[in-house]
Amino acid sequence: MTALVSHLERLTNASTVEELWNVHTRQMETYGFDRLMYGFTRYRTSTGLGDPQDWVLLSTQSPEYMKVFFDEGYYYHAPMLRWALANNGACSWRWMMDMNRVDNLTASERRVMEFNKSMDVTAGYTVSFRSISERTKGAIALTAQAGLTQDAVEQTWAKHGEEIIVLNNVMHLKLLTLPYSGERSLTKRQREVLQWVGDGKTTQDIALLLDLTAATVEKHLRLAREALDVETTAQAVLKAAFYNQMFVMDQDAI
């Protein structure tokens, strides 16, 4: 078994988002990319990317970087994010440098680039994943190790670029199959009542099946809606399904 196949086996057999991300980031480090930032949304609109609390956001960037980049809204003006939203595939960060040379960046985009320079986030590649829905979008920023130039990154990409793209695509596709809660976690009982709703059961049916009162079932459904930040139970079922929180198998029992 080749090293690449062995790594793909570890990726595809990961049972949690944490395990998958750990396997992937360690592999990307071998190519010189030690600061990764992955984002995915199912709530993209013509005017935005939806509520940040609904994003799948994974990163090995420093907390100091993430605090400014997201809490102060820098991500909204990041040139590579603009590219990722309009394109699929991989793009060298030289694209930003070329834009800068022709004075085609806005003041906000220049501020992002200056911040990145101050944090030594200056060389790398961005991979934008192909979407099958107009509401979804995913991308990953591969930041090179501090001190590496974009020329050095291009040399690595010339040798391993296709391999890196495939590994990131597999990671992304695998992640979409794994349970992810982020800040929208459900209790076991909340998940259970939503699952019965998803099966077409009424409140009275669920109460009978779980040996609960109808009022208790309604309480758990209300708490599930609050946890998922939605207005209706139908929306709660959909959102829980989006993030693979429905009918989750107990990994310890497998």
Side-chain angles (χ1 to χ4, degrees):
M1 182 182 296
T2 66
L4 179 60
V5 172
S6 178
H7 176 67
L8 286 170
E9 183 180 39
R10 290 194 297 274
L11 276 183
T12 54
N13 284 329
S15 59
T16 66
V17 170
E18 292 77 13
E19 179 186 356
L20 177 73
W21 186 240
N22 181 57
V23 169
H24 185 64
T25 55
R26 290 175 63 182
Q27 181 66 20
M28 289 301 105
E29 285 184 14
T30 67
Y31 298 109
F33 301 109
D34 64 347
R35 290 167 291 170
L36 276 57
M37 185 162 54
Y38 169 89
F40 176 74
T41 179
R42 293 184 184 273
Y43 297 94
R44 181 184 182 186
T45 67
S46 59
T47 58
L49 296 172
D51 186 343
Q53 292 189 78
D54 290 328
W55 299 346
V56 177
L57 183 61
L58 305 171
S59 176
T60 55
Q61 284 281 6
S62 68
E64 293 77 15
Y65 181 89
M66 296 298 288
K67 180 174 176 58
V68 174
F69 195 72
F70 282 98
D71 291 359
E72 297 186 21
Y74 276 46
Y75 72 90
Y76 190 75
H77 303 286
M80 293 310 302
L81 177 60
R82 175 155 65 92
W83 177 89
L85 292 175
N87 297 276
N88 298 309
C91 182
S92 166
W93 287 8
R94 198 178 297 282
W95 179 80
M96 285 190 292
M97 303 172 196
D98 292 340
M99 286 180 63
N100 200 30
R101 279 200 295 270
V102 297
D103 198 29
N104 197 36
L105 294 173
T106 66
S108 295
E109 288 172 333
R110 288 196 188 92
R111 185 178 65 163
V112 174
M113 291 190 67
E114 289 169 2
F115 167 67
N116 281 342
K117 185 176 181 179
S118 72
M119 301 295 289
D120 210 359
V121 178
T122 55
Y125 261 76
T126 292
V127 179
S128 178
F129 304 109
R130 186 175 300 277
S131 300
I132 60 172
S133 164
E134 62 182 12
R135 299 295 304 276
T136 64
K137 191 60 189 179
I140 189 168
L142 307 172
T143 303
Q145 295 169 356
L148 285 181
T149 65
Q150 189 62 40
D151 285 342
V153 171
E154 299 300 348
Q155 292 177 8
T156 297
W157 205 266
K159 295 179 181 178
H160 306 290
E162 291 183 356
E163 189 174 297
I164 295 170
I165 292 173
V166 168
L167 293 178
N168 278 277
N169 281 334
V170 171
M171 183 280 299
H172 169 65
L173 294 172
K174 175 64 180 181
L175 186 144
L176 298 184
T177 72
L178 295 172
Y180 181 81
S181 60
E183 298 184 26
R184 310 292 198 195
S185 58
L186 297 171
T187 65
K188 183 178 180 179
R189 184 63 87 182
Q190 290 164 9
R191 183 181 300 110
E192 191 173 20
V193 295
L194 283 182
Q195 288 171 175
W196 282 120
V197 171
D199 275 344
K201 302 300 184 183
T202 66
T203 299
Q204 293 295 336
D205 293 334
I206 299 170
L208 183 61
L209 287 163
L210 300 181
D211 194 23
L212 301 171
T213 65
T216 300
V217 172
E218 288 288 359
K219 180 193 75 171
H220 288 304
L221 289 173
R222 174 178 56 80
L223 293 174
R225 292 193 296 269
E226 292 175 357
L228 295 169
D229 194 27
V230 296
E231 296 180 0
T232 70
T233 299
Q235 288 176 313
V237 171
L238 181 62
K239 181 172 280 190
F242 274 163
Y243 292 102
N244 303 308
Q245 294 189 50
M246 300 283 278
F247 306 103
V248 178
M249 297 181 67
D250 184 354
Q251 294 298 322
D252 293 334
I254 297 176

